Amino acid sequence: MSTRLLLGDEALAQGAIDAGLSGAFGYPGTPSTEITEYVQRSPEARSGAVRSHWTANEKTAVETALGMCYAGKRAMASMKHVGLNVAADPFINAAISGTNGGLLINVADDPSMHSSQNEQDSRLYTEIALVPCIEPANQQEAYDVPAYAFDFSERHRIPVLVRLTTRLAHSRAPVTLGSKRPQNELSAPTDRERFILLPSNARRSYDRLIRQQRDFLRESEASPFNRLVEGTDTSLGVIACGIAYNYVLEVTGGAPRFPVLKVGQYPLPLAAVERLLAQCSEILVLEEGYPYVESKLLGSPPRPSPVIRGRLSGDVPRTGELSPQSVASALGFPELQGLPASGAPVSRPPALCPGCPHADTCRVLNDALATRRETGRVFSDIGCYTLGALPPYGAIDTCIEMGASITMAKGASDAGLRPAIALIGDSTFAHSGMTGLLDCVNENSDVTIVIVDNSTVAMTGGQTSSAERRLVAICEGIGVQPAHLRVIEPLPGRHAENVAILEEEISHAGPSVIIARRECIQTLKRGSRRPADKGGGK
Amino acid sequence: MKRDIILAGVGGQGLLSIAAVLGDAALGLGLHLRQCEVHGMAQRGGVVQSHIRYSDVPLYSDLVREGTADLILSLEPMESLRYLPFLRPDGALVTNSVPVKNIPDYPDLDCILGEIRRLPRHRIVDAAVVAEQAGSPQCANLVVLGAATPFLGLAEDSLEAGIRSVFAGKDPRIVETNLRGFHLGVEAARRAS
Ligand SMILES: Cc1ncc(C[n+]2csc(CCOP(=O)(O)OP(=O)(O)O)c2C)c(N)n1
Ligand code: SF4
């Protein structure tokens, strides 16, 4: 047995490799990126024994993993919480068809929104999909989960959602590795109609899924990730989900005096919950994300006793991640006084790197729009270029979710708001911008789309962008007129020329695309420079 | 033996290498370890922070609790003050004195250093000057680590082994410069105390 110092993300990846993984797919997104990166760096992936690559988006990742598990192999798709919105369709329908080889959907939630637009809780998705969810409490459990979850998935022919949250995903601890299991043999399913979700088949499968809920509950009651630890002081019972359990142990010196139900697998182990509720006059629910377990226990109308406390009652802040401090106060421990806060530090917001190509593009946008700011808007997207919202640029007006730039610009333009400009990164364009561009071409919409092509997925650390070197060809193929498909180099020395090109395309009454192409300074420094995009365009 | 430490700095300063060295040294001694970092936009000069905990008794939380940190180790003076509520009243603060002024409203440096000097236990080291003596501005992070050695509860040779192992894949000259920076940091702190 060997011990390694691993992030929660890495422990999960190593656990999957050791559990006979054949394929790991994903789209980068903090705090999930290190799962797929770790697999990619592993000797197993480098020798070709395990397939692993970045997919165009989370939906294609889940579908690829589903296809691999269809072939009898163990596969997984990893993403950040909002990625599951993109992949919700295959995720929910894979629960209906069921799986063949084991299938894990690894989702890293980001409570406190350290690097996200929201703090949605992936556990709620498992209610829609009616699939089990496993939420490891620490790095060792993150390593242990895949072996268990793949077996579970194969036993019940069901995808399993593995939920991590930021602190576990991005914290290191020593992890003891177990034995290695070989990969599954290739074996396509023989019950072929199960995977053809025509209504007649789907109804049958759905009935099966409903019947399986009892089995999933039974599994939860017996799960090694759920545990009721008895205590002597039953004035309070604690339900601690995922990493909340660590905080409870931390603030009680490893020995809580009240009973604690550690929850690491859902559906909730109801028998254990009932046992706890019967013993205690008050229950405190500690969970990362939404008050999911708390609202289940509260019921509607709320049960009279025991009293249920948590985020809804105000005992724990309604938003944001848990901390040892917030858990200690919810448990009634006195605050430990640190030194008084200093008034000196001012905020140090992230900014575009000096020399970043996006900075030049933002200046071009600002100058081209200078006289048109009254109604002109820049519908932006998610990536480093979103920092163009901050001073000194103030260049963008929106950022909602990946892909929304082109389509929102189209809608606003359809409403009469002009000029309607979309600003989108190369990776985001490949992720979910291409379909919107097709809408614009089909409708001959009056939009000007600026694709900032820095040849990488910079925001998440410089992964390979899936449309690399093919942006011009893709736009041509979608039907953008060659005369209105321009390539510029965002450099200070070319500013006037670039402003003129943008102005020209703004005055064109149909869709135009300007590809602003210059490599990210960070990847350039690391020496991962790549050959330039081939193809037409000006 | 138990240490709860807050590491502070600005993206690109090499904070995570320090965390790696501490982690390696603690593991080498068979200690329990937890290390938590905020990634994300580190490359763009924003705030970077990491919690590291090691102990000879089991640890559970990845995060340090407010009011319990033994040490704030910072690569930038203003950043060192950001986390004071985490520091226990008799905790120590060790910081580089060289500011990273990538914001327009950076406060008056003398006020910041004055505030640090008023803390019960502190060490301020000019890591740029010391790193220059060691042969490369790149090793400023290890200079500050060296200066913090009296508060780390880890022997110098354990830390040295940590530096060798963390930079093992690099040019041997880089390892030597880093070790020199570390030792000059230890001495600088000794002189200052
Ligand atoms: C659905 C979804 N998946 C992933 C992310 C995380 N994420 C934010 S921006 C981004 C990609 C940015 O790449 P690109 O568009 O090329 O812009 P760059 O950062 O390189 O400027 C990713 C992966 C997200 N916010 N939403
Ligand atoms: S990482 Fe690259 S794309 Fe992002 S701000 Fe820095 S230079 Fe620009």
Side-chain angles (χ1 to χ4, degrees), chain A residues 27-30 33 58 79-86 115-117 356 358 381-386 401-402 424-429 431-432 452-460 463 465 520, chain B residues 44:
Chain A
Y27 184 74
T30 315
T33 310
E58 293 86 353
M79 63 208 72
K80 68 183 292 171
H81 58 343
V82 288
L84 190 55
N85 299 333
V86 179
S115 19
S116 306
Q117 316 102 287
C356 174
H358 297 334
D381 228 299
I382 308 199
C384 281
Y385 49 95
T386 314
E401 39 80 30
M402 287 187 75
I424 184 168
D426 52 332
S427 178
T428 303
F429 178 71
H431 177 282
S432 47
V452 277
D453 176 13
N454 58 357
S455 319
T456 189
V457 195
M459 183 83 164
T460 46
Q463 294 78 15
S465 174
C520 160
Chain B
R44 288 174 290 280

Side-chain angles (χ1 to χ4, degrees), chain A residues 290-496:
Chain A
Y290 287 9
Y292 167 74
V293 170
E294 185 186 359
S295 20
K296 275 184 185 297
L297 296 194
L298 267 179
S300 171
R303 68 166 82 213
S305 82
V307 178
I308 308 291
R309 293 164 37 200
R311 291 189 188 265
L312 292 173
S313 67
D315 290 270
V316 179
R318 177 65 180 80
T319 62
E321 64 182 345
L322 298 173
S323 68
Q325 186 59 56
S326 64
V327 167
S329 344
L331 287 169
F333 291 105
E335 208 166 297
L336 301 176
Q337 275 306 325
L339 291 181
S342 159
V346 293
S347 81
R348 200 189 284 271
L352 294 171
C353 305
C356 174
H358 297 334
D360 291 298
T361 303
C362 286
R363 283 188 280 266
V364 169
L365 281 167
N366 281 346
D367 282 1
L369 276 171
T371 57
R372 305 179 170 94
R373 260 297 175 191
E374 195 94 338
T375 58
R377 288 292 185 272
V378 178
F379 299 87
S380 184
D381 228 299
I382 308 199
C384 281
Y385 49 95
T386 314
L387 297 173
L390 306 178
Y393 312 104
I396 68 166
D397 297 289
T398 69
C399 161
I400 309 288
E401 39 80 30
M402 287 187 75
S405 55
I406 297 180
T407 31
M408 280 183 71
K410 178 185 185 306
S413 165
D414 287 354
L417 194 76
R418 308 277 166 74
I421 306 211
L423 179 68
I424 184 168
D426 52 332
S427 178
T428 303
F429 178 71
H431 177 282
S432 47
M434 298 190 291
T435 42
L437 176 59
L438 183 59
D439 285 345
C440 295
V441 167
N442 287 344
E443 295 261 304
N444 197 33
S445 309
D446 186 2
V447 293
T448 306
I449 298 162
V450 180
I451 305 179
V452 277
D453 176 13
N454 58 357
S455 319
T456 189
V457 195
M459 183 83 164
T460 46
Q463 294 78 15
T464 310
S465 174
S466 63
E468 208 190 312
R469 293 194 295 274
R470 291 191 301 273
L471 286 175
V472 169
I474 289 170
C475 294
E476 275 174 353
I478 286 174
V480 178
Q481 289 172 30
H484 298 290
L485 178 54
R486 321 277 297 256
V487 178
I488 63 171
E489 191 178 15
L491 276 172
R494 301 203 154 187
H495 180 76

Side-chain angles (χ1 to χ4, degrees), chain A residues 76-322:
Chain A
M76 65 186 193
S78 308
M79 63 208 72
K80 68 183 292 171
H81 58 343
V82 288
L84 190 55
N85 299 333
V86 179
D89 207 5
F91 170 65
I92 292 167
N93 288 304
I96 307 283
S97 70
T99 59
N100 184 30
L103 176 61
L104 305 190
I105 309 299
N106 306 323
V107 189
D109 290 359
D110 189 19
S112 281
M113 306 184 218
H114 294 285
S115 19
S116 306
Q117 316 102 287
N118 70 35
E119 54 174 50
Q120 66 183 63
D121 186 329
S122 299
R123 294 176 299 173
L124 275 87
Y125 263 111
T126 66
E127 296 253 314
I128 308 181
L130 297 165
V131 304
C133 171
I134 305 190
E135 186 180 9
N138 55 42
Q139 292 79 356
Q140 185 65 52
E141 281 195 359
Y143 173 80
D144 295 336
V145 160
Y148 173 89
F150 274 131
D151 283 349
F152 187 116
S153 171
E154 288 173 359
R155 196 157 59 242
H156 297 283
R157 300 201 305 203
I158 192 80
V160 175
L161 187 142
V162 181
R163 179 197 194 218
L164 300 177
T165 51
T166 303
R167 291 300 168 180
L168 177 55
H170 278 177
S171 298
R172 283 191 181 79
V175 172
T176 305
L177 307 192
S179 53
K180 266 198 186 323
R181 174 196 183 278
Q183 293 188 25
N184 290 352
E185 296 297 325
L186 196 66
S187 72
T190 45
D191 49 346
R192 292 165 62 181
E193 68 282 2
R194 180 156 70 90
F195 289 91
I196 307 170
L197 294 184
L198 283 168
S200 56
N201 293 342
R203 277 184 213 111
R204 223 176 17 249
S205 296
Y206 186 52
D207 283 342
R208 181 186 64 101
L209 181 59
I210 298 296
R211 281 196 307 277
Q212 282 183 303
Q213 299 303 303
R214 277 196 316 265
D215 307 332
F216 299 165
L217 179 60
R218 222 183 34 243
E219 292 268 14
S220 274
E221 309 279 12
S223 165
F225 302 105
N226 291 333
R227 189 162 64 243
L228 179 56
V229 185
E230 302 292 346
T232 48
D233 178 357
T234 53
S235 61
L236 180 72
V238 177
I239 298 187
C241 306
I243 65 169
Y245 187 59
N246 305 339
Y247 298 142
V248 172
L249 291 181
E250 184 69 37
V251 301
T252 58
R257 57 172 203 280
F258 28 75
V260 180
L261 174 60
K262 169 194 181 296
V263 174
Q265 183 172 333
Y266 310 80
L268 267 186
L270 289 181
V273 171
E274 284 307 329
R275 275 217 308 285
L276 187 73
L277 263 59
Q279 285 176 36
C280 305
S281 41
E282 272 189 28
I283 298 288
L284 175 67
V285 185
L286 298 168
E287 52 193 327
E288 286 266 72
Y290 287 9
Y292 167 74
V293 170
E294 185 186 359
S295 20
K296 275 184 185 297
L297 296 194
L298 267 179
S300 171
R303 68 166 82 213
S305 82
V307 178
I308 308 291
R309 293 164 37 200
R311 291 189 188 265
L312 292 173
S313 67
D315 290 270
V316 179
R318 177 65 180 80
T319 62
E321 64 182 345
L322 298 173

Side-chain angles (χ1 to χ4, degrees), chain B residues 13-63:
Chain B
Q13 287 194 305
L15 192 79
L16 300 184
S17 310
I18 300 194
V21 170
L22 284 170
D24 193 274
L27 270 193
L29 294 167
L31 298 173
H32 297 273
L33 175 73
R34 285 278 188 281
Q35 189 239 317
C36 185
E37 56 204 45
V38 176
H39 316 202
M41 309 219 216
Q43 66 220 133
R44 288 174 290 280
V47 171
V48 198
Q49 178 215 355
S50 169
H51 292 194
I52 182 157
R53 317 183 60 214
Y54 43 85
S55 158
D56 49 17
V57 296
L59 297 166
Y60 304 101
S61 169
D62 298 300
L63 288 169

Side-chain angles (χ1 to χ4, degrees), chain B residues 9-170:
Chain B
V10 175
Q13 287 194 305
L15 192 79
L16 300 184
S17 310
I18 300 194
V21 170
L22 284 170
D24 193 274
L27 270 193
L29 294 167
L31 298 173
H32 297 273
L33 175 73
R34 285 278 188 281
Q35 189 239 317
C36 185
E37 56 204 45
V38 176
H39 316 202
M41 309 219 216
Q43 66 220 133
R44 288 174 290 280
V47 171
V48 198
Q49 178 215 355
S50 169
H51 292 194
I52 182 157
R53 317 183 60 214
Y54 43 85
S55 158
D56 49 17
V57 296
L59 297 166
Y60 304 101
S61 169
D62 298 300
L63 288 169
V64 173
R65 182 174 169 190
E66 270 100 319
T68 68
D70 304 289
L71 171 68
I72 291 175
L73 192 168
S74 179
L75 300 179
E76 206 279 345
M78 181 181 84
E79 293 306 318
S80 77
L81 291 176
R82 205 181 282 284
Y83 308 102
L84 289 186
F86 278 89
L87 198 60
R88 31 170 250 253
D90 58 343
L93 187 151
V94 176
T95 185
N96 183 4
S97 63
V98 185
V100 177
K101 292 190 174 177
N102 61 354
I103 39 171
D105 51 347
Y106 195 94
D108 182 66
L109 184 59
D110 289 332
C111 291
I112 288 188
L113 295 176
E115 196 174 333
I116 296 170
R117 287 197 186 96
R118 284 193 296 277
L119 295 175
R121 295 166 80 203
H122 66 267
R123 294 268 192 290
I124 300 175
V125 22
D126 184 329
V129 166
V130 180
E132 204 58 59
Q133 289 163 10
S136 161
Q138 300 298 321
C139 70
N141 54 344
L142 290 144
V143 171
V144 184
L145 180 69
T149 308
F151 308 106
L152 295 174
L154 302 171
E156 254 178 75
D157 56 349
S158 295
L159 291 162
E160 242 186 74
I163 294 171
R164 287 189 198 282
S165 119
V166 166
F167 297 98
K170 298 261 157 72

